[in-house]
Amino acid sequence: MNRYLPDVYSKNVLSINYDKLKKKKIKCLIFDLDNTLVPIHTEKIVPKIKALITKLKKDFLVIIVSNSPKKRVNTISEVLQIDAYPNALKPLTRTLRKIKKKYNLTSQDIAMIGDQFITDMNYGYKGKLLKVFVDTISNEDLKITSLNRFFEKKIMHKYQKDNLFKKGEYYDER
């Protein structure tokens, strides 16, 4: 069950210690899109997120991997001027294999950053990536995500009971 346990837990993408990731030799940051970078009900990027991505591109390869449709994902990736992989079917790792091959990366080179245990942390686990969990930036979810959140709460409860994870208690390393 530790497949969902994050290696790093931050309040949001703005509070992640990217210097520590760089020191761990991370070369590529894979971001989830919905409720990680933007709320699900908008395609508008807030200036702080755009500035963060611009800054990160100086030190990392930055990519969006999302289960959302192509039009939505590509609209946002064009604004951010980064590569994106829509309809990724996370936690399946087919897209990850494409990314590794295209950019000549290993699992140790990549961090997965997202707001869901079932899709994002499981994707990181299956791909043997560093897993960075962030709190969701909106309470609004798609119906399928609501089902994932139901199971996520059960997993979090188990982790809390076992003193492995507690919502709101952030950490840079596990």
Side-chain angles (χ1 to χ4, degrees):
M1 180 112 118
N2 286 351
R3 72 183 320 125
Y4 308 111
L5 193 63
D7 300 304
V8 176
Y9 176 32
S10 290
K11 183 171 179 56
N12 54 50
V13 297
L14 298 168
S15 63
I16 295 169
N17 187 336
Y18 294 100
D19 288 334
K20 273 198 173 180
L21 296 182
K22 196 172 163 183
K23 286 177 185 164
K24 289 179 183 250
K25 308 255 191 273
I26 296 296
K27 297 175 186 171
C28 175
L29 304 173
I30 295 178
F31 283 92
D32 170 55
L33 180 63
D34 296 321
N35 283 336
T36 299
L37 291 176
V38 297
I40 62 159
H41 54 74
T42 185
E43 292 175 0
K44 186 175 173 156
I45 307 291
V46 296
K48 284 182 181 179
I49 297 295
K50 188 168 184 177
L52 172 69
I53 298 299
T54 300
K55 180 182 173 201
L56 291 175
K57 289 192 298 184
K58 294 175 185 168
D59 293 319
F60 301 97
L61 170 64
V62 181
I63 299 172
I64 293 172
V65 174
S66 176
N67 290 345
S68 286
K70 186 176 184 177
K71 184 177 186 260
R72 173 175 169 68
V73 175
N74 288 351
T75 298
I76 293 168
S77 72
E78 286 172 18
V79 171
L80 295 174
Q81 298 178 328
I82 58 176
D83 283 348
Y85 293 82
N87 302 309
L89 301 175
K90 291 180 294 180
L92 300 178
T93 57
R94 175 185 53 124
T95 302
L96 180 59
R97 289 191 299 275
K98 287 181 188 175
I99 291 168
K100 286 175 166 180
K101 186 175 181 180
K102 180 176 180 180
Y103 298 103
N104 195 28
L105 296 167
T106 67
S107 293
Q108 292 73 33
D109 297 327
I110 306 169
M112 174 66 214
I113 301 167
D115 71 306
Q116 289 188 58
F117 277 11
I118 304 295
T119 54
D120 303 321
M121 296 305 101
N122 197 13
Y123 183 77
Y125 173 83
K126 286 181 172 186
K128 298 179 173 71
L129 312 177
L130 182 93
K131 302 177 306 239
V132 181
F133 184 72
V134 295
D135 291 338
T136 184
I137 58 176
S138 171
N139 290 326
E140 191 176 338
D141 274 320
L142 299 172
K143 284 190 181 187
I144 186 69
T145 307
S146 297
L147 182 62
N148 287 347
R149 297 277 186 216
F150 172 79
F151 291 110
E152 184 174 272
K153 283 181 185 172
K154 290 188 173 300
I155 295 164
M156 281 186 185
H157 179 74
K158 167 100 172 84
Y159 284 166
Q160 184 171 333
K161 191 174 151 192
D162 295 343
N163 290 319
L164 296 172
F165 180 89
K166 187 173 182 186
K167 192 136 174 82
E169 289 187 6
Y170 308 108
Y171 53 87
D172 284 338
E173 291 183 34
R174 172 144 305 288

